[in-house]
Amino acid sequence: GQQLNQSPQSMFIQEGEDVSMNCTSSSIFNTWLWYKQDPGEGPVLLIALYKAGELTSNGRLTAQFGITRKDSFLNISASIPSDVGIYFCAGQNRDAGKSTFGDGTTLTVKP
Amino acid sequence: EAGVVQSPRYKIIEKKQPVAFWCNPISGHNTLYWYLQNLGQGPELLIRYENEEAVDDSQLPKDRFSAERLKGVDSTLKIQPAELGDSAVYLCASSPTAGADTQYFGPGTRLTVL
């Protein structure tokens, strides 16, 4: 089946630093999604990308849909302590009606 | 607007016992998903409902897992009998229409099988 590889697996950064993480797939997706999961909660959608090459921002978060449609990137600028959590990418093909998730990047922000 | 509600939040059982999880999706959402999330991994789809119909249950281990969504609203996921390897978080999500990219997740039920 489809597999998503997220990297890095974990990151430890200082407050105020920028963060970059990415997700690659062996298959093409029509939609890329980025979620954040806090401890004890379900994932919450941050950004959705629908077109190859698309660059979308949500506050300090910016995500890009790779040209090959097999990858996506998420950047967080000027990190703050509340950015701590696990970030998941997910690929979706509308015909399939379901999302395939990566295994997440765990972000720790030191004040 | 109330989010996706799941209960119980935590469950501890002994192996070979049955267990059931309940999910109430966001009002008006026709599509409901059950996911399994193992520690350190992303959610994996178990079953997807469109109204009361299970349209994708290919990843549901049907020898011990079952699910129902009788009136196309809330749903129950059951495991009988539970095994040690079933310890995980079971997430329910809903979306307004089929194929919608925006899924709203509940907080999950953390199952521990001893």
Side-chain angles (χ1 to χ4, degrees):
Chain A
Q2 295 168 321
Q3 301 252 342
L4 295 187
N5 296 307
Q6 263 189 268
S7 65
Q9 189 173 19
S10 61
M11 302 182 75
F12 296 82
I13 62 170
Q14 205 72 35
E15 182 177 359
E17 289 182 355
D18 297 344
V19 172
S20 291
M21 58 189 80
N22 68 79
C23 192
T24 59
S25 168
S26 57
S27 308
I28 289 173
F29 287 109
N30 295 329
T31 301
W32 280 96
L33 307 162
W34 284 93
Y35 290 84
K36 178 175 183 256
Q37 186 173 27
D38 292 327
E41 300 296 330
V44 174
L45 183 66
L46 298 172
I47 292 179
L49 302 157
Y50 302 102
K51 190 176 174 182
E54 178 182 357
L55 189 70
T56 297
S57 294
N58 178 6
R60 293 178 296 105
L61 278 61
T62 301
Q64 184 163 23
F65 192 139
I67 291 292
T68 66
R69 294 167 63 195
K70 291 184 177 182
D71 57 4
S72 181
F73 305 87
L74 176 69
N75 295 317
I76 304 173
S77 63
S79 59
I80 58 178
S82 63
D83 290 334
V84 165
I86 305 176
Y87 292 80
F88 289 100
C89 63
Q92 187 181 77
N93 287 319
R94 288 183 179 267
D95 292 344
K98 65 180 181 183
S99 297
T100 300
F101 285 80
D103 284 339
T105 293
T106 300
L107 179 64
T108 301
V109 180
K110 293 178 281 189
Chain B
E1 178 184 272
V4 176
V5 178
Q6 291 189 247
S7 69
R9 292 293 310 274
Y10 305 92
K11 188 74 176 178
I12 300 173
I13 61 172
E14 294 191 347
K15 62 182 180 181
K16 301 186 182 179
Q17 294 299 306
V19 64
F21 315 123
W22 176 80
C23 173
N24 193 342
I26 292 173
S27 177
H29 282 195
N30 297 326
T31 308
L32 184 146
Y33 311 77
W34 282 104
Y35 286 90
L36 164 71
Q37 186 175 27
N38 287 306
L39 186 64
Q41 297 183 16
E44 299 172 39
L45 182 69
L46 289 173
I47 189 168
R48 175 169 63 98
Y49 282 94
E50 299 297 343
N51 298 302
E52 65 273 12
E53 182 183 359
V55 296
D56 184 353
D57 63 356
S58 57
Q59 301 303 311
L60 189 72
K62 298 181 184 62
D63 56 336
R64 297 184 300 106
F65 286 65
S66 64
E68 59 183 16
R69 193 185 185 198
L70 293 176
K71 296 184 179 178
V73 180
D74 54 352
S75 176
T76 303
L77 177 69
K78 298 178 182 177
I79 309 174
Q80 181 170 12
E83 297 179 351
L84 294 177
D86 296 332
S87 296
V89 175
Y90 292 83
L91 292 165
C92 178
S94 69
S95 62
T97 57
D101 48 50
T102 304
Q103 297 181 29
Y104 297 84
F105 284 84
T109 296
R110 180 176 295 278
L111 173 67
T112 301
V113 182
L114 303 176

